[in-house]
């Protein structure tokens, strides 16, 4: 039986390793949870004392992140990835099958504390799902056979580390390579080139490249770097945002797997440009399995003189990189929430301005860039800015990695020059009979077939990389409902429009799904959409209605066919609401029922 | 009937699962009542004792929906009133009566009619004259479509008057701070 206690010496150990810094709270909590799977109240209290912060602060942080538990969980924590793509691959049936085999209820630990089965937001494995996290490790290509094996392994209490390796094998599924994925980087080559150019010329090459952020927003990287370089303060920071949480996106996972050197080299190139000494890579908790390899790459780069003091012999160029883990919070992909999380706090987005380039990590000037953006800077260092700008479109230079999943023959990673048409992508990935494509993830845009001539580019269809394909057998109302449930779950709860609005929207969608919908609900949905869009504190809330707005506009019949009434209908059956009183009073007369002819108006 | 009388707005009011506090607040508009009777004709209301609603322009509903009769009355109002207004915390959120919602109805009835000392074993009343209770107390917008709501427990007479005078004059009703409050 596992102990429910974490000893005070264990706590002191971890806290000391993190130099007793309160801004390491999240990392400390993740480590402390490791042995028993949850954080007992006494641990939180002891931790608050050790760090000199309030108990409420510690609990507030522990309570914020999905992968931190303040109540006991099963020794085996099996979390099914809950994106719509996995639903369509049968994840819900598999989860029900696993629950019945293990005699557990979903979302509740078994009474013996052995196992809990639940769901989690997309884990970035859409091309090889259905997938789950087993004690944090991704298990892929789930089938009924694999589910039976898992049930048996859990019953036999075989540790997850001893499960068959094939369960955990992650494929890269790269189907189309262009400049980025063809890059065979000799570690240090790009850095050498940029150092040879000198700092000013390197920045000029970045400007020439017109590289724009690959995280979705498309801000010009050179402008960001210059603003940070010019910001007062000598202690600048470079942050790599590897919190790839947008449902349907997994290209950063592949970059970190196949081109980790390029990502770290990109961070170092950014540090060279802005004069930063500290680098942080924020790795989403779902990708934690990548950490040992990434740490090994960092160690190799340190010993090769590519990190640390006097990089490549350049006096005064000191820079090193540390990996921070996330713990299951989509909102932390928003750069200011990510900074809060790096500082060990709840991932509540900050009000901008000030922007991170002037006041970022711990108030210091900070560059926050996406994994793909940073990797791309290696190409610019090697080939020059003009060569980089020669591909793509005038406003969207270079290439883009797309994470393709859903109804197509060959899901996986495809790299295209910007400007590629949706129909070309669909053809290449073997999609036929396509009804709609969701580009940019849940927060992105849903395109109907009459828009497939449109192009992937910041000036037409911008994207962080998700490309989910739905053929004509799919119900797009259910797609939108899944995304709404995702946003309601991931809302950080800080602002009322988003916290309440996403829940109201989900309630309205569920009402329609349950067959109680009425025309007035569509009006309510549109009203909530506007409210979310206009009143939310950050991009999560304002993007949350996107899937509903798009599907209502382009696939309205998918909603209308669910309506029960053209005016108003309650979300529940009124006659059923009298059943308890009928039972208690023993009545069954006419007045004890609502007659059917008294239809609501 | 004079022309003025014929163009008067017809107004109905009722209290469902409420305490009549909102109606008391309505009476608190004091001397505005004289202006109001120039502008409106009262239909079904505790003020007129008319038992059923005829076609009206405005219906004011106080209280949430706790039993079958509330449902019938509310549906009648919705069917007869062009504009239906939820007035007060109970109509909007269920309010105080909704505090029973976390107790199963049967347990609630047992506690009141069977377990309580001094009641004997009379059992849960089963007279067909009595409306059956719903399993949960509902805000009125969960049972019918509602056009406007005036928050407050109760809303002040001033807020009610501002709202009604706006509505009658054809302006979209707008309660600004400090008239807009939820307590």
């Amino acid at each position: 039986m596992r102990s429910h206690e974490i000893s005070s010496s264990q706590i002191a150990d971890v806290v000391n390793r993190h130099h007793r810094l309160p801004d390491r709270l999240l990392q400390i909590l993740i480590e402390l949870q490791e042995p028993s799977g949850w954080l007992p109240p006494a641990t939180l209290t002891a931790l608050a004392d050790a760090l000199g912060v309030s108990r409420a602060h510690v609990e507030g942080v522990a309570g914020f992140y999905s992968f931190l538990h303040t109540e006991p969980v099963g020794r085996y924590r099996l979390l099914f990835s809950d994106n719509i793509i996995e639903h369509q691959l049968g994840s819900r049936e598999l989860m029900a099958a696993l629950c019945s085999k293990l005699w557990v209820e979903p979302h509740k630990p078994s009474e013996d504390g052995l196992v809990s089965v639940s769901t989690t937001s997309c884990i970035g494995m859409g091309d090889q799902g259905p997938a789950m996290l087993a004690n944090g490790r991704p298990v892929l290509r789930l089938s009924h056979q694999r589910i039976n094996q898992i049930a048996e392994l859990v019953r036999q209490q075989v540790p997850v580390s001893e499960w068959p390796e094939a369960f955990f094998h992650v494929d890269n599924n790269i189907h189309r390579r262009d400049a980025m994925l063809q890059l065979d980087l000799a570690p240090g080559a790009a850095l050498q080139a940029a150092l040879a150019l000198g700092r000013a010329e390197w920045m000029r090459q970045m400007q020439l490249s017109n590289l724009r952020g690959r995280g979705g927003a498309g801000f010009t990287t050179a402008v960001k770097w210059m603003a940070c370089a010019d910001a007062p303060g000598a202690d600048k920071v470079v942050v790599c945002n590897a919190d790839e949480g947008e449902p349907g996106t997994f290209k950063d996972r592949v970059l970190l797997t196949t081109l980790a050197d390029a990502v770290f080299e990109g961070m170092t190139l950014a540090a060279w440009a802005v004069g930063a000494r500290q680098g942080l890579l924020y790795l989403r908790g779902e990708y934690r399995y990548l950490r040992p390899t990434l740490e090994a790459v960092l160690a190799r780069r340190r010993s090769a003189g590519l990190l640390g003091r006097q990089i490549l012999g350049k006096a005064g160029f000191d820079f090193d990189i540390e990996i921070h883990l996330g713990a299951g919070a989509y909102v932390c992909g928003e750069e200011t929430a990510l900074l809060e999380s790096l500082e060990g706090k709840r991932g509540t987005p900050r009000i901008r301005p000030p922007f991170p380039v002037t006041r970022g990590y711990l108030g210091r000037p900070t560059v926050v860039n996406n994994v793909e953006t940073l990797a791309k800077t290696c190409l610019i260092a090697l080939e020059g800015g003009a060569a980089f700008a020669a591909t793509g479109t005038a406003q969207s230079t270079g290439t883009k990695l797309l994470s393709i999943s859903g109804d197509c023959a060959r899901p996986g990673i495809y790299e295209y020059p910007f400007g590629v048409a949706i129909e070309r992508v669909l053809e290449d990935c073997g999609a036929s009979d396509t009804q709609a494509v969701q580009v940019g993830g849940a927060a992105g845009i849903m395109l109907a077939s009459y828009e497939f001539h449109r192009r992937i580019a910041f000036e037409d269809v911008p994207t962080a990389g998700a490309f989910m394909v739905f053929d004509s057998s799919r119900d797009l109302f259910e797609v939108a409902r899944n995304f709404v449930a995702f946003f309601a779950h991931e809302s950080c709860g800080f602002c009322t429009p988003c916290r309440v609005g996403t829940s109201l929207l989900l309630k309205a969608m569920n009402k329609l799904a349950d067959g109680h919908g009425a025309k007035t609900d569509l009006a309510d949905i549109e009203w909530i959409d506007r409210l979310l869009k206009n009143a939310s504190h950050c991009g999560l809330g304002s993007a949350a209605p996107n899937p509903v707005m798009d599907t209502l506009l382009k696939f309205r019949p998918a909603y209308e066919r669910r309506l029960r009434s053209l005016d108003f209908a309650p979300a529940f059956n009124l006659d059923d609401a009298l059943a308890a009183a009928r039972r208690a009073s023993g009545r069954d007369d006419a007045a004890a029922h609502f007659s059917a002819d008294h239809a609501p108006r | 009937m004079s022309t003025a009388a014929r163009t008067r707005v017809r107004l109905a009011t009722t209290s469902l699962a409420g305490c009549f506090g909102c109606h008391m607040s309505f009476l608190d508009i004091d001397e505005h009542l004289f202006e109001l009777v120039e502008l409106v004709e009262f239909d079904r209301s505790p003020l007129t004792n008319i038992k059923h609603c005829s076609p009206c322009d405005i219906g004011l509903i106080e209280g949430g929906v706790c039993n079958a009769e509330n449902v019938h009355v509310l549906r009648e109002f919705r069917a007869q009133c062009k504009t239906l207004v939820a007035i007060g915390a109970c109509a909007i959120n269920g309010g105080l009566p909704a505090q029973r919602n976390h107790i199963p109805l049967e347990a609630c009835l047992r506690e009141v009619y069977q377990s309580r000392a001094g009641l004997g074993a009379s059992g849960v009343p089963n007279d067909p004259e009595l409306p059956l209770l719903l399993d949960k107390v509902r805000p009125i917008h969960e049972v019918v479509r509602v056009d406007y709501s005036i928050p407050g427990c109760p809303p002040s007479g001033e807020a009610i008057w501002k709202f009604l005078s706006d509505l009658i004059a054809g302006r979209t009703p707008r309660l600004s701070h400090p008239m807009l409050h939820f307590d």
Side-chain angles (χ1 to χ4, degrees):
Chain A
M1 200 59 214
R2 72 200 153 132
S3 144
H4 275 193
E5 300 295 315
I6 297 173
S7 74
S8 49
S9 70
Q10 269 174 305
I11 295 172
D13 247 21
V14 176
V15 169
N16 286 332
R17 203 145 21 81
H18 288 279
H19 314 292
R20 313 186 79 82
L21 291 171
D23 55 77
R24 309 301 294 248
L25 178 56
L26 174 58
Q27 304 307 310
I28 293 171
L29 288 168
I30 292 170
E31 278 186 47
L32 284 177
Q33 185 179 269
E34 195 68 355
S36 66
W38 73 292
L39 296 158
T43 303
L44 300 183
T45 307
L47 188 53
D49 289 344
L51 292 173
V53 296
S54 73
R55 172 70 161 68
H57 176 71
V58 174
E59 185 153 349
V61 173
F64 183 82
Y65 295 91
S66 295
F67 293 166
L68 295 179
H69 306 285
T70 51
E71 277 170 20
V73 289
R75 258 188 296 150
Y76 292 85
R77 292 173 304 287
L78 309 176
L79 300 174
F80 283 79
S81 180
D82 204 30
N83 190 21
I84 185 70
I85 298 297
E86 273 108 351
H87 283 191
Q88 293 176 354
L89 294 169
S91 65
R92 277 178 298 189
E93 292 75 11
L94 292 170
M95 178 164 154
L98 182 61
C99 284
S100 78
K101 276 184 213 312
L102 291 170
W103 288 87
V104 291
E105 275 181 66
H107 319 297
K108 252 169 85 172
S110 59
E111 275 174 29
D112 57 2
L114 178 67
V115 58
S116 45
V117 179
S118 191
T119 53
T120 188
S121 299
C122 180
I123 65 168
M125 298 288 171
D127 57 337
Q128 43 206 305
M132 66 154 77
L133 292 175
N135 290 357
R137 285 189 72 183
V139 178
L140 307 156
R141 296 169 296 274
L142 295 173
S143 59
H144 278 284
Q145 191 200 356
R146 196 155 274 189
I147 289 291
N148 288 343
Q149 288 174 287
I150 290 170
E152 202 46 44
L153 290 164
V154 170
R155 271 198 296 259
Q156 307 284 338
Q157 309 202 15
V158 179
V160 173
S161 55
E162 291 168 27
W163 290 11
E165 263 313 302
F167 283 19
F168 307 111
H169 179 77
V170 180
D171 285 317
N172 292 324
N173 287 332
I174 298 173
H175 294 297
R176 191 179 195 281
R177 292 172 191 268
D178 206 305
M180 181 85 260
L181 295 174
Q182 281 165 5
L183 176 67
D184 183 15
L185 180 75
L191 203 50
Q192 197 93 55
L195 285 175
L197 291 174
R199 192 169 265 155
E201 180 57 22
W202 165 229
M203 195 68 105
R204 209 180 69 82
Q205 291 301 321
M206 280 296 296
Q207 278 174 287
L208 276 179
S209 75
N210 202 18
L211 173 68
R212 294 172 67 176
R214 264 40 174 180
F219 192 77
T220 309
T221 308
V223 172
K224 191 184 274 187
W225 287 14
M226 275 190 291
C228 183
D230 294 343
D235 47 356
K236 288 162 188 166
V237 186
V238 172
V239 171
C240 173
N241 182 348
D243 191 43
E244 184 177 47
E246 192 62 52
T249 317
F250 44 84
K251 47 110 189 161
D252 290 345
R253 186 241 302 155
V254 173
L255 283 173
L256 290 167
T257 308
T258 61
L259 284 166
D261 262 302
V263 176
F264 291 135
E265 193 139 334
M267 289 178 74
T268 318
L269 286 166
W272 166 238
V274 304
R277 295 164 56 94
Q278 189 180 0
L280 295 163
L281 181 133
Y282 186 91
L283 185 67
R284 73 184 299 219
E286 290 82 346
Y287 292 170
R288 172 175 199 170
Y289 75 99
L290 291 171
R291 187 175 188 168
T293 350
L294 293 174
E295 295 284 9
V297 174
L298 286 176
R300 182 164 49 67
R301 293 182 68 85
R302 273 184 210 112
S303 54
L306 300 172
L307 285 174
R309 293 200 159 272
Q310 302 202 359
I311 291 172
L312 288 173
K314 189 89 183 171
F317 184 18
D318 306 336
F319 180 69
D320 210 331
I321 297 171
E322 190 190 347
I323 296 172
H324 273 234
L325 281 177
Y330 165 72
V331 73
C332 291
E334 196 278 343
E335 62 174 3
T336 61
L338 184 141
L339 292 170
E340 290 285 299
S341 184
L342 280 173
E343 293 178 10
K345 297 185 241 165
R346 293 166 68 90
T348 303
R350 297 176 182 171
I351 289 169
R352 296 178 298 183
F355 290 93
V357 284
T358 54
R359 284 183 62 83
Y361 177 65
L362 298 174
R364 295 149 57 182
T366 306
V367 161
V368 184
N369 278 140
N370 176 261
V371 170
E372 186 183 349
T373 315
L374 289 163
K376 289 249 154 81
T377 62
C378 294
L379 296 175
I380 298 163
L382 290 168
E383 312 286 339
F388 183 88
T391 47
T393 71
Q395 291 174 58
S396 312
T397 55
T399 63
K400 183 78 196 83
L401 267 61
L402 299 180
S403 320
I404 300 185
S405 62
D407 298 314
C408 63
R410 293 173 296 280
I413 297 291
Y414 292 71
E415 183 183 11
Y416 288 100
F418 265 119
V420 65
I422 304 292
E423 51 207 0
R424 164 79 199 277
V425 179
L426 287 171
E427 200 182 306
D428 289 354
C429 70
S432 56
D433 193 21
T434 305
Q435 180 183 197
V437 180
Q438 179 78 17
V439 183
I445 174 174
M446 181 171 277
L447 299 174
S449 56
Y450 59 82
E451 300 170 285
F452 290 171
H453 63 282
R454 293 182 63 182
R455 294 171 186 282
I456 302 285
F458 294 112
E459 62 271 29
D460 191 353
V461 183
T463 174
F467 192 101
M468 292 182 265
V469 184
F470 301 102
D471 71 18
S472 63
S473 72
R474 304 304 183 184
D475 182 345
L476 296 172
F477 169 82
E478 282 302 331
V479 174
R481 187 161 78 108
N482 173 266
F483 292 152
V484 169
F486 165 78
F487 285 118
H489 179 257
E490 295 294 344
S491 171
C492 82
F494 171 74
C495 79
T496 310
C498 174
R499 182 184 65 248
V500 176
T502 51
S503 288
L504 282 178
L505 191 55
L506 179 60
K507 227 170 128 182
M509 296 293 277
N510 286 344
K511 183 179 174 187
L512 260 65
D514 291 345
H516 293 298
K519 201 115 188 175
T520 43
D521 293 313
L522 297 188
D524 277 353
I525 285 173
E526 281 166 340
W527 174 74
I528 301 167
D529 285 350
R530 276 200 303 281
L531 184 138
L532 274 165
K533 188 123 259 177
N534 299 325
S536 295
H537 173 64
C538 82
L540 189 153
S542 57
N546 287 357
V548 179
M549 284 162 54
D550 278 350
T551 45
L552 260 178
L553 183 71
K554 298 169 188 176
F555 300 96
R556 200 175 180 91
Y559 288 73
E560 286 174 336
R561 79 168 70 106
R562 290 184 154 77
L563 303 184
R564 203 181 75 85
S565 142
L566 287 182
D567 187 355
F568 179 89
F572 58 99
N573 184 304
L574 270 161
D575 197 53
D576 290 350
L578 291 180
R582 278 195 297 266
R583 274 195 305 276
S585 62
R587 280 176 53 189
D588 198 26
D589 53 286
H593 288 276
F594 289 112
S595 58
D597 62 348
H598 208 139
R601 244 172 67 113
Chain B
M1 197 184 272
S2 74
T3 321
R6 265 190 277 116
T7 56
R8 276 188 200 165
V9 166
R10 275 194 90 79
L11 175 70
T13 77
T14 192
S15 175
L16 306 175
C19 69
F20 279 91
C22 295
H23 274 82
M24 296 308 290
S25 205
F26 180 30
L27 294 179
D28 268 347
I29 65 174
D30 298 334
E31 70 275 15
H32 290 306
L33 273 172
F34 296 111
E35 281 171 71
L36 188 67
V37 291
E38 294 298 316
L39 297 169
V40 306
E41 188 98 43
F42 276 96
D43 194 274
R44 173 176 176 165
S45 168
L47 306 178
T48 59
N49 219 14
I50 297 171
K51 299 296 184 199
H52 285 282
C53 203
S54 19
C56 282
D57 298 288
I58 302 169
L60 298 182
I61 311 279
E62 170 191 343
V65 186
C66 80
N67 64 28
E69 195 220 0
N70 292 160
V71 174
H72 293 306
V73 173
L74 184 57
R75 283 174 168 178
E76 179 182 297
F77 267 69
R78 179 68 275 179
Q80 299 290 5
C81 302
K82 289 181 192 160
T83 302
L84 197 67
V85 183
I87 171 166
C90 301
I92 295 172
N93 289 320
L96 210 56
Q99 290 203 348
R100 77 159 158 91
N101 283 0
H102 64 278
I103 304 167
L105 178 64
E106 280 152 308
C108 205
L109 289 171
R110 253 196 323 275
E111 185 66 29
V112 173
Y113 291 105
Q114 284 164 338
S115 322
R116 212 159 55 153
L119 259 188
S122 53
V124 177
N126 60 357
D127 190 324
E129 288 282 303
L130 294 171
L132 287 185
L133 295 176
L134 299 175
D135 56 352
K136 288 199 172 8
V137 178
R138 302 278 184 167
I140 67 169
H141 73 262
E142 290 189 2
V143 179
V144 297
R145 178 171 54 82
V146 173
D147 301 298
Y148 296 97
S149 44
I150 314 176
C153 186
S156 65
E158 195 191 3
I160 296 171
W161 172 243
K162 170 73 166 65
F163 185 95
L164 280 179
S165 48
D166 274 354
L167 199 60
I168 291 164
R171 298 184 292 265
T172 303
R174 189 178 161 79
L175 295 179
S176 50
H177 185 78
M179 269 191 272
L180 188 71
H181 65 88
F182 291 81
D183 55 348

